[in-house]
Amino acid sequence: MTDLAPKSHVDLDVEGMTCASCAARIEKRLNRIDGVQATVNFATDRASVDLPDGVAVDEVLAAVEATGYHARPVASSSNAESTPSDEGGEVTTADRELRSLRDRLVVSSLLTLPVLVMAMVPALQFDNWQWVSLTLASPVVVWGAYPFHRAAWLNLRHGAATMDTLISLGVSAAYLWSLYALFIGEAGATGMTMTFDLALTRGSGQHEIYLEVAAAVTVFILAGRYFETRAKRQSGAALKALLELGAKEVAVLRDGVEHLEPVDSLTKGDRFVVRPGEKVATDGVVVEGTSAIDASLLTGESVPVEVGPGATVTGATVNAGGRLVVEATRVGADTQLARIGQLVTDAQSGKAPIQRLADRVSAVFVPIVIALSVATLGFWLGWGEDTATAFTAAVAVLIIACPCALGLATPTALLVGTGRGAQLGILIKGPEVLESTRRVDTVVLDKTGTVTTGAMALVDVVVVDGTEESDVLRLVGGLEDASEHPIGRAIAAAARERVGELPGVEAFQATRGLGVQGVVDGRAVVAGQARFMADWSLTVPPMLAVAKEAAEGLGQTAVLAGWDGQLRAVLVVADTVKLTSAQAITELRDLGLTPFLLTGDSREAAHAVARSVGIDDVLAEVLPEDKLKQIRSLQEDGRVVAMVGDGVNDAAALAQADLGLSMGTGSDAAIEASDLTLVRGDLRTAGDAIRLSRRTLRTIKGNLFWAFAYNVAALPLAAAGLLNPLIAGAAMAFSSVFVVSNSLRLRTFKATQ
């Protein structure tokens, strides 16, 4: 095979797939093309294809067509396959498929019910009842089961067999035998009666008809297929709703005048207005106004966030307060909403190793089942049993062995799980992540921006006797208001919040790394380190020295401040712990994880933060380039490590960890390197993400058991002639219904509040 590196990517909507073996056939055919790497997902009816140079999309489409299915690029499919509905909306191919299945199910059920009742209750078997059953059952077998017959015929033309082949063979065999018994055998005689048994009855079989089997199996499978199709639509509803969150129009400021324009016309740097109740059009920075932003629809965060000038806002969030003017910083595919949508789409399009195994089993299972059915028929005939008994046992094998639900066991749960995660602000990057969440026993938490807010804040003010705290905040806050240093900004912001408007500063000077000076309200004010104060010949009073030492012992920053030749206060600034971090640590412990705190800060600062949130193990004074080594060291000790971080310097460690979780509020590099992204930036969602992933994995394993176990258990019964085909059909349909309903239960997952 030619070694061609993929240069482009295309997603295809695939029509005509009815089971996992269909997806496996298409995937195998596409991957035969030199350089093409394809994944076909039955649950999403979508193929994800990487194309090398020299391979056109048309060649890929032709390969799908040659396999017996139809495909078209996703980008062009929406309009092409949609037609206006009566309600003025759009009817997609999926809508039409669901409606067709519903119509077939309803009509077939109404026709099958009297056939089934007459066959099971001898007292209702009036003269020539069998001919009435034939009249009622024929439309069900021919029209109701048409999708299965059509698929079986297409498969036959291409030399393949799928689940539909088994269904079509079983239903057709039961129906054709009934025709033989009615027109050639003894079943057409007036006064013919028959009984219903769970197991097969021995006899000549010339008077036995299986119209109730043919019709009821069709109804059961139609019900399972309808439920599956509806579940597939519901599974993708979360993603669809997410992608539709964005605003459609925006009030753009052009020369100070508002112009209502489509959101697509926005460019980076444009300023637009967001009024109360309106959605933020795109990611940006607030330049005017203050308000509260409701991000619950996007992130799951229930409490609105206060924003003002300089604050970042995300597209699709709702302005719950005053008027805002926002400058666009990201537009189109670069926005957080678009990136979330792409991450979820990629996750839903992927396949877990266990699903690939299920697909391979489905692909080879059908021919094996057909062979078993033929062998069963031959065995009973060779054993000397009548043709009817042998035939019925063979039909039961065909039907009970059909693992129709196997193809949806994994992808449906994955669809629902990732969709629910997206609603809660948890982005699962791919199905392979699920297994990792089960195995992890250690979680390493970056401190800054993960456990703490990542932003400096004023936490304490210590003043000498005779000095008012309000005076310190007003004068020092006015001085620091001119500073660009994060510590200075934190002091100024806290001062403004506590004492109101700050006075202006004159003759402002900043000495890098040491301190600032200036004239505020006619007073010469200084603020900074002790060394800076020594340059001004200012001595530190004992009580301030004690306060400074205590703060630094906790890893906090102590800023000395004074005026008129005297030091008057110590302002303590620190990266504050998030209010929810302690609860998050408790929840991670409850999940069986041992937390480690990882930081480049001093041991004193690290241990202080660790104690406040309940972490015993601390990795402090770690250089950014050494974070990777720390993760490897824990892994070499036999630990399965999850890493939670948000910064560029966390990217390598996130990639090295067995499970990487990035804060959505952090850097793009960290998000790209992680397996799970927590959009809210709330550490509690780390526990939610692991719980959701583990629950999704448990659901998948439960689905696979019920999708396949009943086949294995009942096959010997069917081959031994101890299972009525009608019961076999009901069991198969129940398996499909159970699998999809079990997956849909993931929609009830609740996040920690």
Side-chain angles (χ1 to χ4, degrees), residues 456-514:
M456 304 299 283
L458 183 66
V459 296
D460 194 16
V461 180
V462 181
V463 300
V464 298
D465 294 337
T467 302
E468 297 291 334
E469 181 178 316
S470 58
D471 292 335
V472 173
L473 291 172
R474 187 173 60 85
L475 295 174
V476 180
L479 173 66
E480 295 284 15
D481 196 34
S483 174
E484 296 296 328
H485 196 280
I487 293 176
R489 304 306 299 172
I491 294 173
R496 185 176 286 104
E497 181 180 344
R498 299 183 192 183
V499 300
E501 192 64 30
L502 300 176
V505 60
E506 300 175 3
F508 176 83
Q509 290 184 6
T511 303
R512 186 169 182 171
L514 293 178

Side-chain angles (χ1 to χ4, degrees), residues 505-529:
V505 60
E506 300 175 3
F508 176 83
Q509 290 184 6
T511 303
R512 186 169 182 171
L514 293 178
V516 293
Q517 64 191 67
V519 179
V520 182
D521 277 356
R523 295 179 175 178
V525 184
V526 294
Q529 299 183 13

Side-chain angles (χ1 to χ4, degrees), residues 123-138:
L124 300 178
Q125 296 172 2
F126 52 86
D127 289 345
N128 297 315
W129 68 274
Q130 65 271 40
W131 298 103
V132 176
S133 292
L134 176 64
T135 303
L136 295 173
S138 294

Side-chain angles (χ1 to χ4, degrees), residues 200-469:
L200 305 184
T201 56
R202 306 294 190 262
S204 66
Q206 296 292 315
H207 70 286
E208 295 285 342
I209 60 175
Y210 296 103
L211 293 172
E212 79 284 358
V213 172
V217 167
T218 299
V219 170
F220 290 150
I221 296 173
L222 280 173
R225 190 66 57 82
Y226 172 75
F227 198 66
E228 291 171 359
T229 304
R230 192 176 69 172
K232 286 162 66 175
R233 292 187 65 203
Q234 292 174 342
S235 299
L239 176 58
K240 183 179 180 182
L242 181 70
L243 297 178
E244 292 178 348
L245 285 178
K248 303 299 186 288
E249 294 183 322
V250 57
V252 184
L253 288 175
R254 309 280 189 198
D255 299 323
V257 180
E258 295 183 24
H259 297 271
L260 197 61
E261 299 179 6
V263 169
D264 294 341
S265 67
L266 273 177
T267 60
K268 186 177 179 181
D270 284 347
R271 294 191 175 188
F272 58 92
V273 177
V274 188
R275 290 182 173 79
E278 294 180 348
K279 293 179 180 178
V280 179
T282 193
D283 299 356
V285 176
V286 178
V287 293
E288 293 181 21
T290 58
S291 181
I293 294 293
D294 182 359
S296 58
L297 292 175
L298 183 64
T299 68
E301 176 61 64
S302 59
V303 180
V305 179
E306 297 292 330
V307 297
T312 58
V313 291
T314 304
T317 55
V318 179
N319 181 13
R323 179 181 182 272
L324 296 175
V325 176
V326 180
E327 182 176 314
T329 56
R330 291 181 175 180
V331 296
D334 295 329
T335 64
Q336 187 172 6
L337 179 63
R339 292 168 61 206
I340 289 173
Q342 188 59 51
L343 284 171
V344 178
T345 300
D346 292 344
Q348 295 186 344
S349 299
K351 286 188 179 182
I354 194 169
Q355 184 185 342
R356 294 187 182 278
L357 176 62
D359 287 351
R360 288 196 295 270
V361 170
S362 297
V364 302
F365 200 72
V366 174
I368 292 175
V369 170
I370 294 174
L372 284 174
S373 179
V374 173
T376 300
L377 179 66
F379 172 80
W380 284 112
L381 291 175
W383 195 258
E385 287 289 348
D386 61 276
T387 305
T389 299
F391 162 79
T392 307
V395 171
V397 169
L398 279 176
I399 295 173
I400 195 63
C402 179
C404 292
L406 190 61
L408 286 175
T410 296
T412 304
L414 187 62
L415 275 170
V416 180
T418 54
R420 181 57 180 154
Q423 291 178 321
L424 299 173
I426 301 167
L427 305 182
I428 302 173
K429 191 166 282 187
E432 64 282 350
V433 173
L434 303 179
E435 189 66 27
S436 299
T437 60
R438 182 187 66 84
R439 295 184 297 109
V440 292
D441 54 31
T442 301
V443 57
V444 177
L445 305 166
D446 175 59
K447 182 181 77 69
T448 306
T450 302
V451 177
T452 65
T453 62
M456 304 299 283
L458 183 66
V459 296
D460 194 16
V461 180
V462 181
V463 300
V464 298
D465 294 337
T467 302
E468 297 291 334
E469 181 178 316

